[in-house]
Amino acid sequence: MNKNKGNKVCKHSLFVLCLLMVTSLWVGPVWADETAELSQKVLEKWQDAVITARVIIEVYESERKIEILATVIDKSGLAVFSLSSINPASMYGAMADETKVKDVTMILPDNEEIPANVVLRDQDLDLAFIKPIDKVEKKLTAIDLGDNTEPEILDRIVSLSRLGNTGGFAPVVSISRVQAVIKKPRTMYMIDPMKALLGGLGVPAFTLDGKIVGIALMKTSKVQDMMGDELSRGMGGLPTLPIILPAQEIVDVIKRAGLD
């Protein structure tokens, strides 16, 4: 091979290698910025659909005031939340009736308070719904659960939440990926369990294009015995697991109950 030709080949290869290295440095940040921008759009559009509800419950003849997260899913103010957030005993079957709801107040993002009632519970799905007692005159931000999508494993998920009183009820957004698609007894999605727990239950999850995936709830195994082989599975082997219940499942529950 001609020496000059060999030098040209080497220089060309070196140029290609340098180009690949430079490309790898800026493509990653560009993708990351795009994810952040799309997530920001989801937050701006739907953050007001995530509300706080102040609930007074009666447990063993004593009253307790708690704050939970809920997602408004209808212009009437109908909102969905996790049953276990007001009634942890619901995860243990027979003990479910020991908690009574005495009072519910929906706290909107502008701090307006609206009296409400619990109108439906579904223990099997960890679902519960609240609705304003009186007709709400103002326009509410409500997520249309019918306009949903089904993500694939490793798809990015944008979850919205809201801080409590200490954090001034500020909206929260987190980005994760679908880590597992549970098929039995029904389809459910698992994202990073720690992120899910930190974000709270009763909050919505979206794909990056703004389509609703579902609501964060708690899946409970009917088998409560913790054997060694289950413990070795980590959080996935625990009798309770934070999941995203598909929006269509919730739509079906609403239709069967006649809340639509």
Side-chain angles (χ1 to χ4, degrees), residues 211-226:
K211 290 280 189 178
I212 183 70
V213 173
I215 302 295
L217 301 171
M218 192 68 76
K219 174 178 169 55
T220 303
S221 172
K222 295 184 181 299
V223 180
Q224 299 296 329
D225 294 333
M226 291 295 293

Side-chain angles (χ1 to χ4, degrees), residues 5 8 26 29 35 46 52 57 95 114 128-129 138 140 144 150 161 163 166 193 198 201 204 213 223 226 237:
K5 186 177 181 180
K8 288 182 180 180
W26 64 262
T35 297
W46 298 117
T52 300
I57 60 175
M95 298 174 62
I114 300 176
F129 300 84
K138 69 187 302 180
L140 300 176
D144 180 7
E150 300 177 358
S161 186
L163 297 178
T166 304
L198 288 172
L201 302 176
V213 173
V223 180
M226 291 295 293

Side-chain angles (χ1 to χ4, degrees):
M1 178 185 293
N2 183 281
K3 185 176 180 180
N4 289 333
K5 186 177 181 180
N7 288 336
K8 288 182 180 180
V9 172
C10 290
K11 288 180 180 179
H12 177 72
S13 299
L14 183 60
F15 172 76
V16 171
L17 179 60
C18 291
L19 182 61
L20 289 173
M21 291 176 66
V22 171
T23 301
S24 68
L25 291 176
W26 64 262
V27 167
V30 167
W31 284 344
D33 288 345
E34 182 182 16
T35 297
E37 290 174 5
L38 292 172
S39 300
Q40 178 69 29
K41 291 180 180 179
V42 173
L43 177 66
E44 291 174 353
K45 184 175 182 179
W46 298 117
Q47 61 182 348
D48 285 351
V50 182
I51 65 169
T52 300
R54 185 171 59 244
V55 184
I56 298 177
I57 60 175
E58 182 180 308
V59 184
Y60 302 115
E61 299 183 353
S62 65
E63 291 188 355
R64 180 186 173 195
K65 184 186 295 184
I66 60 175
E67 288 184 351
I68 65 170
L69 292 165
T71 300
V72 179
I73 55 174
D74 188 81
K75 298 295 185 181
S76 66
L78 180 68
V80 60
F81 65 99
S82 165
L83 177 59
S84 57
S85 64
I86 63 168
N87 188 10
S90 66
M91 293 186 291
Y92 301 99
M95 298 174 62
D97 293 330
E98 292 186 4
T99 299
K100 296 180 180 179
V101 177
K102 305 282 288 187
D103 184 78
V104 181
T105 302
M106 300 171 67
I107 305 173
L108 303 184
D110 62 2
N111 292 324
E112 180 179 350
E113 298 188 359
I114 300 176
N117 283 328
V118 176
V119 293
L120 180 66
R121 306 186 194 200
D122 188 316
Q123 183 178 320
D124 290 337
L125 295 177
D126 187 38
L127 274 175
F129 300 84
I130 52 176
K131 189 174 183 179
I133 295 175
D134 300 316
K135 183 178 179 180
V136 180
E137 299 298 335
K138 69 187 302 180
K139 185 178 181 180
L140 300 176
T141 300
I143 296 172
D144 180 7
L145 294 182
D147 185 21
N148 58 63
T149 189
E150 300 177 358
E152 302 291 339
I153 195 164
L154 291 181
D155 280 355
R156 283 188 174 88
I157 296 295
V158 182
S159 297
L160 303 185
S161 186
R162 190 170 292 279
L163 297 178
N165 185 58
T166 304
F169 301 106
V172 178
V173 60
S174 64
I175 304 169
S176 54
R177 290 184 183 271
V178 175
Q179 294 188 347
V181 178
I182 302 168
K183 293 293 187 179
K184 298 180 180 179
R186 56 178 55 84
T187 299
M188 299 178 180
Y189 305 103
M190 188 191 85
I191 59 174
D192 184 325
M194 293 308 298
K195 283 188 177 181
L197 290 173
L198 288 172
L201 302 176
V203 299
F206 303 83
T207 48
L208 286 178
D209 60 2
K211 290 280 189 178
I212 183 70
V213 173
I215 302 295
L217 301 171
M218 192 68 76
K219 174 178 169 55
T220 303
S221 172
K222 295 184 181 299
V223 180
Q224 299 296 329
D225 294 333
M226 291 295 293
M227 305 300 291
D229 59 337
E230 291 299 315
L231 287 172
S232 69
R233 296 176 185 269
M235 183 166 283
L238 296 176
T240 58
L241 182 70
I243 54 86
I244 297 172
L245 183 68
Q248 191 58 48
E249 287 276 359
I250 302 172
V251 171
D252 293 342
V253 170
I254 292 172
K255 288 182 177 178
R256 289 196 297 268
L259 292 179
D260 54 340

